[in-house]
Amino acid sequence: MNLDLIQQAAAHIRTAQRTVAFTGAGISVESGIPPFRGPDGLWSKYDPSHLDIRYFSAHPAEAWEVIRDIFYKYFGQSQPNAAHLALAEMEQMGQLDVVITQNIDNLHQAAGNQDVIEFHGNSHRLSCTACDQSHPFTAEIIATLPPRCTVCGAVLKPDFVFFGEPIPALAQRRAMAETTRADVWLVIGTTGEVYPAALLPVEAKRNGKTIIEVNVRPSELTGQITDLFLQGRATEVMSALVAQLRDGA
Ligand code: ZN
């Protein structure tokens, strides 16, 4: 890890009027959550068609078997890591305004970030397919599949974005607004391959914003839109960055 680059990144963040963190699967790998894609990804173990909205509507109980399995093996077990905690500390220091995440693991909220735009929803909530009532994910509620709304009895769906579903309108609108609003985009653990999320930092760059990228390996973004590339594991880089911001405060 290059300390000079960490110092440069800290300087950008300190002088920014507004900073956003834009996160993807790479930030949660060290919390034990595999990415969906890639050789060891969840899609090598599960059939992604089970998370297609048309399949879910036709076969909710079968889809829920898969969802319950994924939740208990991964999303329900994991804890925030040093990178999530660094972002929460940055928010507390007034050096980070908002997190936009593509992850559905709830780890930014668990770490303590107050303003998290959930671009793909959240696996820890269930929403009613009929009355929009929200329910927490509990063992009781999924004891019988498919789980049903305690208010109206309709089938509950996990509150994350399925294949074939649009991005939640408010999240989309708020995230797009940051592409003209925030001066600095701190892009962590995302390779710029999942659309439409990948368009956000590209749009920010087009608007003249500074892009700081944190990734283990160069990505689609590096050399295209990235101004500062901090190569390394998210926990290492973010711990160093937050320490730098702490010292300079
Ligand atoms: Zn309902």
Side-chain angles (χ1 to χ4, degrees):
M1 201 169 35
N2 184 324
L3 187 59
D4 182 50
L5 289 178
I6 296 282
Q7 284 168 346
Q8 286 180 45
H12 278 294
I13 291 166
R14 263 194 224 105
T15 52
Q17 292 291 315
R18 189 170 175 86
T19 295
V20 43
F22 178 59
T23 66
I27 196 172
S28 293
V29 166
E30 293 173 76
S31 289
I33 298 182
F36 283 96
R37 289 140 185 270
D40 297 318
L42 288 173
W43 297 147
S44 66
K45 301 183 182 72
Y46 298 97
D47 179 355
S49 70
H50 286 120
L51 293 182
D52 187 291
I53 192 63
R54 284 150 296 197
Y55 180 85
F56 180 84
S57 302
H59 310 280
E62 290 87 342
W64 260 108
E65 294 280 351
V66 177
I67 295 158
R68 183 167 65 178
D69 199 50
I70 294 176
F71 187 84
Y72 277 121
K73 282 207 176 90
Y74 305 107
F75 296 116
Q77 303 294 333
S78 55
Q79 298 295 325
N81 64 45
H84 298 105
L85 295 171
L87 290 177
E89 186 178 341
M90 281 177 63
E91 189 190 75
Q92 276 172 5
M93 288 192 289
Q95 302 285 0
L96 177 67
D97 296 281
V98 60
V99 175
I100 303 170
T101 189
Q102 300 166 76
N103 301 337
I104 60 172
D105 53 34
N106 200 51
L107 292 180
H108 290 299
Q109 293 88 338
N113 277 99
Q114 300 293 310
D115 194 2
V116 181
I117 300 174
E118 298 170 333
F119 204 73
H120 293 152
N122 189 316
S123 66
H124 287 236
R125 284 192 311 266
L126 310 182
S127 58
C128 179
T129 52
C131 78
D132 286 334
Q133 175 74 37
S134 184
H135 303 261
F137 201 122
T138 60
E140 299 76 60
I141 208 156
I142 57 160
T144 323
L145 298 183
R148 294 195 173 267
C149 179
T150 53
V151 177
C152 77
V155 169
L156 296 175
K157 179 189 164 292
D159 207 357
F160 58 78
V161 175
F162 278 42
F163 294 110
E165 275 196 306
I167 303 301
L170 178 62
Q172 166 104 354
R173 205 160 54 237
R174 287 199 64 209
M176 272 308 289
E178 293 298 343
T179 66
T180 56
R181 204 173 166 209
D183 316 289
V184 170
W185 275 61
L186 180 58
V187 177
I188 308 167
T190 179
T191 51
E193 289 162 332
V194 177
Y195 287 87
L199 297 172
L200 293 168
V202 173
E203 186 63 14
K205 177 68 177 183
R206 215 177 57 81
N207 292 324
K209 310 308 183 186
T210 301
I211 311 292
I212 302 171
E213 179 186 352
V214 179
N215 266 322
V216 176
R217 281 175 293 280
S219 73
E220 297 283 311
L221 308 172
T222 325
Q224 298 288 326
I225 63 163
T226 297
D227 295 292
L228 268 184
F229 179 46
L230 308 179
Q231 185 162 8
R233 291 191 290 133
T235 52
E236 270 174 358
V237 174
M238 290 309 299
S239 298
L241 181 58
V242 82
Q244 189 68 38
L245 288 165
R246 214 185 278 138
D247 291 347

